[in-house]
Amino acid sequence: MSLTGLSSPTAVSTPVRFACFRIGQFSLQMKFTLMVVALALGIGAIVGTVTLDVSSRLINRLHVDHCVQTAALLANKSSPEYQAGENALAELAERMVRTDPLLFVSFMDAEGNLLAAQQGGKKVCPDRSLGGFTPAATIGNPLFKTGDQGLEIPYLDVTYPVLRVVANGGEDGKESGSVLQGYVRIGYSLERTFAEVLATTQLLSGIGVLIAAMTIPLGFFLVRRLAGPLCELASTMGRFADGELEARSHISRSDEIGALARSYNEMADKLEQKHAEISKLNEELEQRVQQRTMQLRELAARDPLTGLYNRRHFNEVLGQCFAEAKRYGTELACMMIDLDHFKAVNDRFGHQIGDDLLVLTAMTISTEMRTSDIAARFGGDEFIILLPQTDTAQARVLAERFTEKLAINMKEQFPACGAKASVGIGCIVDVTTEDADGLIRVADNALYEAKKSDTESIVAREIAV
């Protein structure tokens, strides 16, 4: 299922991976699940403990009340039996002891002497202390006992007075009232009480186990509903951070998680838009840099005065063209041009006129040369032209055309300036070495011969203006 700067789709940053629904101890889902389960178990334990305590107290209270009620009923029932004698009391005790949960029943006179008693289905002899006098403070109040009277199970021991109602003219001389005949003492078994408390405990324990068994998967499911979208959103952010700028969250909820997903999508849209704008600007900048670099390279290869290529660039091109001509056996010619008496022009008319004369010569060269030709300022008042695919005859025609045009331009613009243009031509067939500089030396030698000659020749032509 399914964070971060402006990175291009191809640029991969440090991977951010979010595993969904991990069972690892540090996963958000596991932490939330344990928290929910622990909270549910804690609440269940507290509620169960309180419920068990209240239930136990209620059960004990009910049995205590039932014990007292039983003793009161037995005392009321035994009042006539006291008049009938000890045998009648013994029979009553025997019948009552058979009634669950009574463990023993004993009848005593008003002084606390045992009259009749029955314990566990057996008659108790009068000399035994099953009766015994009970302090007045405990009359009618059950006492919890265990391991007494030979009984191993816990029980409630309660003594209750047996009263006889006296009509008018009674023995006590009063008009009406009651006479204490004796006491009835019973042992009320708590085995049923403990059994009920144990059953209640087992029931609550079972309910607690059932709640725990239901809480774990339910808590896991509920937490998954919460942590699942967060894991998906984290995974989407991770893919966006890795360069997948089109990664968007598909969570559609109306709660805080949905608001977070919508905020992320809005942020991703803006970042993607900014990234596109920056990418476009980068492309434009790269194009401008390339254009500027080409312009700078071109400027670096040009002579600042004449605009022709400089000697360094010319040597680079010459090396390439010379190697190609040698490899493929094609023609290659070189034309060198020198302005004679140029120093005299500078001395007489100034360097500005001299510079203008150089510019005029460069303009004439640029006008008359072909597109494939390479012209450069070789140094000072010397110019050089490289003529690919050109033999000596073709180079001579270009030289004649150039000298004629230059003579016309000089006459028009500098009529008072006397200068000569000497041209020397060299062809690759005349080069005896394997280096490109040999072609320049051939043309330079031809230029030297042209300077010495006062007439035209096939190799060079001199022009006086």
Side-chain angles (χ1 to χ4, degrees):
M1 298 180 70
S2 3
L3 286 170
T4 44
L6 290 175
S7 59
S8 61
T10 57
V12 180
S13 61
T14 303
V16 181
R17 297 290 179 260
F18 296 88
C20 296
F21 311 134
R22 295 182 303 170
I23 308 300
Q25 59 179 349
F26 297 110
S27 66
L28 182 63
Q29 182 171 355
M30 180 56 64
K31 291 179 180 179
F32 279 177
T33 301
L34 292 178
M35 182 180 67
V36 171
V37 172
L39 183 61
L41 292 179
I43 295 176
I46 294 174
V47 173
T49 302
V50 173
T51 303
L52 179 61
D53 182 68
V54 172
S55 300
S56 300
R57 291 176 181 271
L58 179 60
I59 292 173
N60 290 334
R61 183 72 263 171
L62 290 176
H63 283 276
V64 167
D65 293 342
H66 186 262
C67 175
V68 173
Q69 292 175 3
T70 302
L73 290 175
L74 183 57
N76 186 45
K77 186 177 181 179
S78 64
S79 179
E81 307 296 338
Y82 269 86
Q83 301 296 327
E86 295 183 3
N87 292 332
L89 291 175
E91 292 178 359
L92 178 59
E94 182 180 1
R95 290 197 306 269
M96 295 303 299
V97 125
R98 296 174 184 174
T99 305
D100 189 53
L102 296 181
L103 298 176
F104 64 84
V105 176
S106 65
F107 295 99
M108 296 165 287
D109 59 15
E111 287 75 22
N113 298 318
L114 181 64
L115 300 177
Q118 190 79 14
Q119 178 179 346
K122 295 182 180 180
K123 185 176 180 180
V124 179
C125 296
D127 59 344
R128 294 188 58 183
S129 61
L130 186 61
F133 180 75
T134 302
T138 61
I139 298 297
N141 295 322
L143 301 176
F144 177 80
K145 294 183 179 181
T146 181
D148 193 13
Q149 303 295 337
L151 300 174
E152 297 180 357
I153 61 175
Y155 65 94
L156 293 176
D157 188 349
V158 59
T159 301
Y160 207 86
V162 179
L163 302 175
R164 178 169 60 89
V165 179
V166 179
N168 293 337
E171 296 177 356
D172 55 0
K174 297 180 181 180
E175 295 182 356
S176 64
S178 60
V179 178
L180 177 64
Q181 291 182 292
Y183 299 95
V184 59
R185 181 184 177 190
I186 64 174
Y188 190 90
S189 174
L190 293 177
E191 186 174 5
R192 179 183 297 178
T193 304
F194 289 161
E196 292 179 358
V197 172
L198 178 61
T200 303
T201 303
Q202 293 176 346
L203 176 62
L204 293 178
S205 299
I207 294 176
V209 172
L210 180 62
I211 291 176
M214 295 177 60
T215 301
I216 293 176
L218 182 61
F220 186 84
F221 174 76
L222 293 178
V223 173
R224 182 173 180 175
R225 293 281 296 176
L226 175 64
L230 292 178
C231 289
E232 179 182 355
L233 182 58
S235 177
T236 303
M237 291 180 177
R239 291 189 290 113
F240 186 87
D242 288 343
E244 191 177 339
L245 299 183
E246 66 278 4
R248 296 293 184 273
S249 175
H250 301 290
I251 299 175
S252 178
R253 298 170 61 136
S254 58
D255 54 8
E256 289 81 357
I257 297 179
L260 179 61
R262 289 190 295 272
S263 298
Y264 160 74
N265 289 337
E266 293 176 0
M267 178 197 69
D269 291 338
K270 293 180 180 179
L271 290 178
E272 186 177 16
Q273 181 180 0
K274 292 296 183 181
H275 179 269
E277 294 176 357
I278 292 177
S279 298
K280 184 178 179 180
L281 291 176
N282 285 339
E283 293 178 359
E284 295 177 355
L285 182 59
E286 289 178 359
Q287 292 177 358
R288 292 180 182 179
V289 170
Q290 292 177 358
Q291 293 175 358
R292 186 59 178 171
T293 302
M294 294 177 61
Q295 293 174 358
L296 292 176
R297 289 178 179 176
E298 187 71 15
L299 290 175
R302 295 284 181 177
D303 176 65
L305 178 62
T306 62
L308 299 179
Y309 288 114
N310 55 31
R311 184 170 181 173
R312 180 184 58 81
H313 181 74
F314 181 83
N315 288 335
E316 294 177 358
V317 177
L318 175 62
Q320 296 176 0
C321 293
F322 187 84
E324 292 178 358
K326 281 291 186 180
R327 177 180 298 178
Y328 301 109
T330 58
E331 296 290 343
L332 181 64
C334 181
M335 181 188 303
M336 294 195 69
I337 304 171
D338 180 72
L339 297 179
D340 298 327
H341 310 297
F342 181 73
K343 185 177 182 303
V345 173
N346 282 335
D347 294 340
R348 182 180 177 184
F349 298 100
H351 289 282
Q352 182 61 48
I353 298 300
D355 290 345
D356 293 341
L357 186 59
L358 292 176
V359 172
L360 177 62
T361 304
M363 181 185 65
T364 305
I365 292 174
S366 300
T367 303
E368 298 302 323
M369 74 179 189
R370 301 168 301 182
T371 305
S372 60
D373 299 337
I374 305 297
R377 185 182 180 185
F378 200 68
D381 59 341
E382 292 182 346
F383 299 88
I384 189 169
I385 305 175
L386 187 63
L387 308 171
Q389 304 291 333
T390 304
D391 55 17
T392 303
Q394 293 172 330
R396 185 181 296 113
V397 173
L398 292 175
E400 291 174 354
R401 189 174 65 191
F402 164 72
T403 54
E404 290 175 359
K405 184 66 175 177
L406 181 61
I408 295 173
N409 292 338
M410 284 186 175
K411 187 177 181 179
E412 290 179 354
Q413 299 187 28
F414 305 100
C417 178
K420 292 182 180 181
S422 299
V423 179
I425 298 174
C427 190
I428 194 172
V429 295
D430 301 323
V431 179
T432 59
T433 61
E434 295 297 326
D435 61 321
D437 290 339
L439 183 61
I440 297 178
R441 287 193 294 269
V442 172
D444 187 53
N445 291 334
L447 177 63
Y448 178 74
E449 293 297 330
K451 283 180 173 293
K452 294 192 305 180
S453 176
D454 293 332
T455 60
E456 294 182 355
S457 67
I458 297 177
V459 178
R461 178 176 181 176
E462 187 178 41
I463 300 174
V465 179

